[in-house]
Amino acid sequence: MARFRCRTVLTPLLVMFQLASLIIISYLVQENITLKQTIVSIYDTHQLKITNTRSTLKENISTNIPTKILVKTTSNNLEKKKRIMTRSDDIPSKSQMKKTTRATNINRTTLKSSSKNYNVSFTEKNSPPHKPRKFSPSMLTIVVFKPSINYSEANFNKTLESIGSLYPTAHQILNLNNSESLNSTISRVKTDYFLILEEGVILSNRSYESIDMLWDALERYQEIDFIGGSYLAGDKLHVACHHYRLCRWTFSVSYEYERSLDNVMICDGTSSSFMGRRASLDKINGFDSSIHNTLIVQDFFLRAKLSKNVSVGTMPNVMFLQNYFSSLYELWQSGNITKDIVPFAVKHKVFIFKDIEENIIDLCSQSSPLSGKYLCDETQAHKLMLDGAHWAYTGIFAYPYILNHLEITLNEVTKFFEEHNVQYVVIGGVSLGAIKMRSILPWEAGDIDIYVYGMSLVQLADLVEPWAKKNGYFAYTFMKEAVHIFCTPRHLGRVSGGLATLHPQSELPPNFVRIKTNGIWVRYDREFFKLFLKHYGKDYLQHKLYRQKEIIECKIKDHNACLPNFKSLYQGKAGTLKEFYCQN
């Protein structure tokens, strides 16, 4: 009876346990199905992302790597081939493709902030919005122009033959008439792109050196407006990537590039033979017809830089072949281009040209045909270079030839006095320069004041004038008060500066100290600091305009020879750190 009662109690419990087990198993099976569906969904989503990434990668590769043009052949005609632009080994590996993807996804904000100090703007133009077109000579206009220097009809014909053999379907325009400006010639271009080609240049027939590569670069990089290459003269290669600088009356050219786009160097200027977009000419109003062909392209690229709206590139592997390569300095040495350089010099306010080899062309050197003439005449220079003003009153560096002549005069006069035991001391602005910079101040007004002791005016003139005449210098008595002397050739006389004013003094000579000035030990009054405090006050170390109490600041906006705005530097108390001044 007890066993029966136990069974009666346990049987319902077992049924309930089995029922609960079935419910739990059913629930777990259902959850397993849901889990599998979730996994499948996640997998499908992941696969879709991989597919999209591969698609994007292919587009990036096609954009950044020149498309391989496969050789096409037919069974009937094996001669119809297209040039192979890249080899099969140029195809990137998977690891390189991953790097390309990562590079493409670089945060633009980070890229811009890392280069803000250089004013570089990386834009979406790096990834062209359109599919690059294949090069077709019929879509290009080639403009051949001839400079007047070293022009050779034979070389001109070689250039035309080179074009005809390689690109017979290209449009050609010849600039043969010197009276026709390059601007006028370019205005006849109807194609999107043009190629400026100098007389004497022969185009390379090698695929990786051809102008096809310039076309391809312009198509791939919409930010580039103009692009050139290298000159190959014999076995000497001249890569034409130039950095331009206007500073302190000097136009300097150096071999530097700002950044790169694949195998394109972004420069200020490139070769005089170059390819460009016709539409981009309007950004800088084309070429300046007042500039001679010798420097018309340099002027063009310099204005492009100053506009801050044009990008210039150089593809160093593209070759322009020449029998010889003549730099501006070499042309200058030949003595044939002085008159051709002057319009550029006046326009951009320069007296000196410095090339990438640091060769110097000084238009106003004593050996120059311009010495003492035109812009090398101080009076005329004021009109041509400063709109009638004087550098000492406008916060401008003195003309280079003025400073050069002053240095020569200081050296010659003090050396002469030392040799003849003449008691003298240098006073005025030069003494200030000796303390501030150990040199004549680069904004010196234009003369050196020297006190000469123990002599009358007549005695001083009798001593100095024969010596000046013997050495070809120009000396004379000025207003019965002083002797003026220019230690420059007599034909320059007063026109090119370098004046020393010698003041005779009847009193006994003071004690003196020597301070090295422009490389020589020069005498100054032992009490000259006392004189500084008397005439200039405690702020004699501040830089002020000539004969004024105003702190120096440039009064001619954007002039390349502007002095620093000393008013804004250290509240007018700036010194002579080189960082304050533009450096050539």
Side-chain angles (χ1 to χ4, degrees):
M1 193 68 180
R3 188 179 298 172
F4 175 78
R5 288 176 182 171
C6 183
R7 263 181 209 172
T8 305
V9 173
L10 290 175
T11 299
L13 291 174
L14 289 172
V15 172
M16 291 176 65
F17 177 79
Q18 290 175 351
L19 182 61
S21 298
L22 288 173
I23 292 172
I24 291 171
I25 290 171
S26 176
Y27 176 81
L28 290 175
V29 169
Q30 184 63 34
E31 285 298 309
N32 187 40
I33 292 171
T34 304
L35 180 62
K36 284 183 179 180
Q37 290 175 345
T38 302
I39 292 172
V40 169
S41 176
I42 292 172
Y43 177 79
D44 290 341
T45 302
H46 182 65
Q47 287 294 102
L48 180 60
K49 288 182 178 179
I50 292 174
T51 303
N52 291 338
T53 300
R54 286 177 177 171
S55 176
T56 302
L57 182 59
K58 288 179 181 180
E59 292 177 2
N60 288 335
I61 292 173
S62 65
T63 299
N64 294 301
I65 300 177
T67 305
K68 178 180 178 182
I69 302 177
L70 300 176
V71 178
K72 295 183 179 179
T73 61
T74 63
S75 57
N76 297 327
N77 186 0
L78 296 177
E79 296 180 355
K80 293 183 178 179
K81 298 180 179 180
K82 288 191 176 180
R83 197 158 38 203
I84 298 177
M85 298 303 290
T86 54
R87 303 187 305 274
S88 60
D89 58 1
D90 288 332
I91 299 175
S93 64
K94 289 184 178 180
S95 62
Q96 290 173 324
M97 291 165 68
K98 290 180 180 178
K99 290 180 181 178
T100 303
T101 305
R102 287 198 297 270
T104 304
N105 294 326
I106 289 176
N107 188 294
R108 294 283 177 185
T109 304
T110 303
L111 196 60
K112 188 173 181 180
S113 64
S114 66
S115 58
K116 64 183 179 180
N117 291 334
Y118 299 95
N119 296 321
V120 179
S121 177
F122 290 82
T123 68
E124 293 296 336
K125 291 181 180 179
N126 291 2
S127 301
H130 73 287
K131 183 178 180 180
R133 297 173 293 178
K134 295 180 181 179
F135 175 66
S136 173
S138 63
M139 300 169 69
L140 177 69
T141 300
I142 301 178
V143 178
V144 184
F145 82 106
K146 64 181 182 101
S148 63
I149 301 298
N150 296 331
Y151 169 70
S152 166
E153 186 174 352
N155 286 335
F156 193 84
N157 291 334
K158 286 182 180 179
T159 300
L160 298 182
E161 291 172 7
S162 170
I163 298 170
S165 62
L166 294 175
Y167 305 101
T169 60
H171 304 278
Q172 294 184 36
I173 301 177
L174 308 182
N175 181 253
L176 298 173
N177 185 356
N178 285 335
S179 63
E180 180 183 19
S181 71
L182 191 55
N183 229 24
S184 175
T185 305
I186 291 289
S187 67
R188 290 158 30 207
V189 172
K190 304 301 180 184
T191 55
D192 290 341
Y193 297 159
F194 64 88
L195 175 71
I196 297 287
L197 202 60
E198 305 157 273
E199 167 269 323
V201 167
I202 298 173
L203 300 174
S204 175
N205 59 4
R206 302 186 182 188
S207 61
Y208 57 90
E209 297 177 357
S210 70
I211 60 172
D212 306 33
M213 305 294 284
L214 302 182
W215 172 283
D216 179 65
L218 290 176
E219 283 291 302
R220 286 188 292 125
Y221 300 109
Q222 295 297 295
E223 72 174 278
I224 299 177
D225 296 283
F226 308 102
I227 185 168
S230 302
Y231 293 107
L232 181 61
D235 60 356
K236 295 180 179 178
L237 181 67
H238 304 268
V239 180
C241 179
H242 301 143
H243 174 64
Y244 294 151
R245 187 169 179 76
L246 286 171
C247 169
R248 296 175 66 166
W249 305 108
T250 301
F251 175 55
S252 301
V253 181
S254 56
Y255 182 69
E256 301 175 69
Y257 65 99
E258 180 184 358
R259 56 191 170 96
S260 64
L261 295 173
D262 289 340
N263 58 337
V264 178
M265 309 159 88
I266 301 301
C267 320
D268 291 339
T270 185
S271 53
S272 293
S273 294
F274 67 94
M275 190 177 292
R277 306 178 193 275
R278 181 169 56 86
S280 294
L281 290 170
D282 295 335
K283 294 181 180 180
I284 49 176
N285 297 320
F287 297 89
D288 187 344
S289 59
S290 69
I291 304 298
H292 193 272
N293 278 3
T294 304
L295 284 170
I296 194 169
V297 175
Q298 285 81 353
D299 170 76
F300 177 79
F301 288 133
L302 179 56
R303 288 187 293 111
K305 174 184 178 175
L306 297 176
S307 75
K308 300 180 181 180
N309 190 35
V310 173
S311 181
V312 178
T314 294
M315 189 172 278
N317 54 287
V318 174
M319 305 288 183
F320 295 111
L321 312 180
Q322 292 183 312
N323 291 331
Y324 53 85
F325 177 84
S326 296
S327 66
L328 186 67
Y329 178 73
E330 290 169 332
L331 293 174
W332 162 260
Q333 285 187 314
S334 70
N336 296 327
I337 64 168
T338 302
K339 67 180 186 304
D340 301 332
I341 293 180
V342 169
F344 181 98
V346 172
K347 176 180 179 179
H348 295 291
K349 313 305 180 191
V350 296
F351 295 98
I352 296 173
F353 294 78
K354 183 189 292 186
D355 68 13
I356 60 174
E357 304 294 339
E358 297 194 348
N359 296 311
I360 300 292
I361 296 175
D362 186 347
L363 293 178
C364 297
S365 67
Q366 294 184 13
S367 61
S368 168
L370 282 177
S371 181
K373 304 172 185 175
Y374 199 45
L375 54 83
C376 302
D377 178 324
E378 183 180 345
T379 302
Q380 292 194 55
H382 293 335
K383 299 176 182 177
L384 295 169
M385 312 300 253
L386 291 174
D387 298 325
H390 190 289
W391 70 82
Y393 300 100
T394 51
I396 298 285
F397 282 98
Y399 306 144
Y401 62 87
I402 294 288
L403 292 173
N404 181 53
H405 294 165
L406 284 173
E407 184 177 344
I408 292 172
T409 297
L410 177 66
N411 183 56
E412 290 293 294
V413 171
T414 56
K415 180 181 177 182
F416 174 73
F417 284 165
E418 296 279 356
E419 290 175 348
H420 290 78
N421 296 316
V422 174
Q423 300 299 312
Y424 77 93
V425 292
V426 175
I427 63 170
V430 175
S431 61
L432 271 176
I435 295 301
K436 291 181 177 183
M437 306 183 74
R438 299 187 78 195
S439 70
I440 296 169
L441 290 171
W443 54 88
E444 171 60 50
D447 69 329
I448 303 166
D449 290 298
I450 301 176
Y451 279 174
V452 182
Y453 297 90
M455 287 188 182
S456 66
L457 179 62
V458 174
Q459 290 172 321
L460 181 58
D462 288 343
L463 175 66
V464 171
E465 290 179 4
W467 167 72
K469 185 177 181 180
K470 178 182 177 181
N471 288 276
Y473 303 149
F474 181 55
Y476 63 97
T477 301
F478 176 71
M479 296 180 65
K480 299 181 180 181
E481 295 178 355
V483 174
H484 280 182
I485 180 169
F486 296 85
C487 292
T488 52
R490 288 186 66 84
H491 74 276
L492 297 180
R494 309 177 188 182
V495 300
S496 292
L499 166 68
T501 301
L502 311 179
H503 305 272
Q505 303 294 309
S506 57
E507 62 265 25
L508 293 175
N511 294 327
F512 63 84
V513 294
R514 296 181 188 271
I515 303 174
K516 183 166 280 190
T517 311
N518 291 96
I520 60 173
W521 291 99
V522 177
R523 294 185 189 184
Y524 298 94
D525 193 321
R526 176 67 175 79
E527 303 292 333
F528 75 103
F529 284 113
K530 181 179 178 180
L531 297 173
F532 285 170
L533 292 170
K534 178 180 179 181
H535 291 287
Y536 304 111
K538 292 182 179 180
D539 58 354
Y540 66 84
L541 289 176
Q542 291 181 298
H543 309 311
K544 299 180 180 180
L545 293 173
Y546 182 60
R547 291 182 178 176
Q548 298 181 35
K549 294 183 179 181
E550 182 183 354
I551 302 296
I552 289 176
E553 67 173 342
C554 187
K555 297 182 182 296
I556 302 179
K557 185 179 179 181
D558 297 329
H559 198 292
N560 78 77
C562 273
L563 285 163
N565 185 355
F566 287 115
K567 280 187 176 180
S568 64
L569 289 171
Y570 294 99
Q571 297 179 335
K573 300 180 184 296
T576 57
L577 289 177
K578 290 183 179 180
E579 298 94 285
F580 297 157
Y581 306 85
C582 70
Q583 302 293 324
N584 290 307

